[in-house]
C-alpha cells in the first residue's frame, strides 16, 4: 500500500527531495517499451505525497510523507524531483512522455 511511491527521499541539507517509481524488467529486450502505467503511477504518488489529509495516507509511507511536507513547510526543500526509473526504451512510447509532462505541469 505504498500508493505508487517506491522511494521518497528528503535531503534538507541539499534542499531537494525525490519521489520515485521504479520498474525493472528481469530480461529486457530491445522490443520492450517503458510502461506508461508506471509513468502515470507518479501522478498518483504526487497526489499522495502532497495530500492535504495526512490521516488518509497509508502507514507504509506516512512518515516519509510527513517528513517531506514538514521540510517543504520549513522551506528546507526548494526542489522536488519525480523520477521514473526503469530499464526499458521510453523513446518509442509517446504515452510515457505524455504522462511525465502531465506530472510536470
Amino acid at each position: 500500500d505504498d500508493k505508487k511511491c517506491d522511494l521518497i527521499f528528503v535531503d534538507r541539507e541539499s534542499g531537494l527531495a525525490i519521489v520515485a517509481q521504479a520498474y525493472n524488467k528481469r530480461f529486457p529486450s530491445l522490443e520492450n517499451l517503458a510502461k506508461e502505467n508506471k509513468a502515470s503511477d507518479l501522478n498518483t504518488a504526487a497526489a499522495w505525497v502532497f495530500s492535504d489529509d495526512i490521516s488518509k495516507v497509508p502507514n507504509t509511507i506516512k512518515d516519509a510523507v510527513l517528513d517531506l511536507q514538514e521540510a517543504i513547510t520549513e522551506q528546507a526543500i526548494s526542489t522536488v524531483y519525480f523520477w521514473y526509473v526503469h530499464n526499458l526504451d521510453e523513446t518509442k512510447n509517446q504515452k510515457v512522455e505524455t504522462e511525465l509532462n502531465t506530472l510536470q505541469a
Side-chain angles (χ1 to χ4, degrees), residues 6-69:
D6 289 337
L7 169 83
I8 301 173
F9 174 78
V10 177
D11 185 353
R12 286 175 167 81
E13 188 174 313
S14 66
L16 67 88
I18 300 166
V19 178
Q21 170 57 237
Y23 178 76
N24 185 46
K25 183 161 180 73
R26 198 164 149 99
F27 299 106
S29 70
L30 293 176
E31 296 80 35
N32 297 135
L33 300 180
K35 298 181 174 209
E36 65 264 12
N37 68 310
K38 290 292 188 176
S40 69
D41 285 349
L42 273 176
N43 290 310
T44 301
W48 284 99
V49 164
F50 296 119
S51 174
D52 286 337
D53 188 353
I54 198 69
S55 69
K56 293 182 179 178
V57 175
N59 288 334
T60 313
I61 61 169
K62 188 176 284 189
D63 289 342
V65 168
L66 279 169
D67 187 31
L68 175 55
Q69 290 182 354

Side-chain angles (χ1 to χ4, degrees), residues 4-5 14 26-27 35 41 45 52 57-59 65 70 73-76 86-87 90 93 95 104:
K4 312 303 181 185
C5 297
S14 66
R26 198 164 149 99
F27 299 106
K35 298 181 174 209
D41 285 349
D52 286 337
V57 175
N59 288 334
V65 168
E70 288 170 2
T73 300
E74 295 164 3
Q75 297 184 346
H86 57 83
N87 62 342
E90 76 181 53
N93 189 343
K95 292 180 181 179
Q104 188 176 30

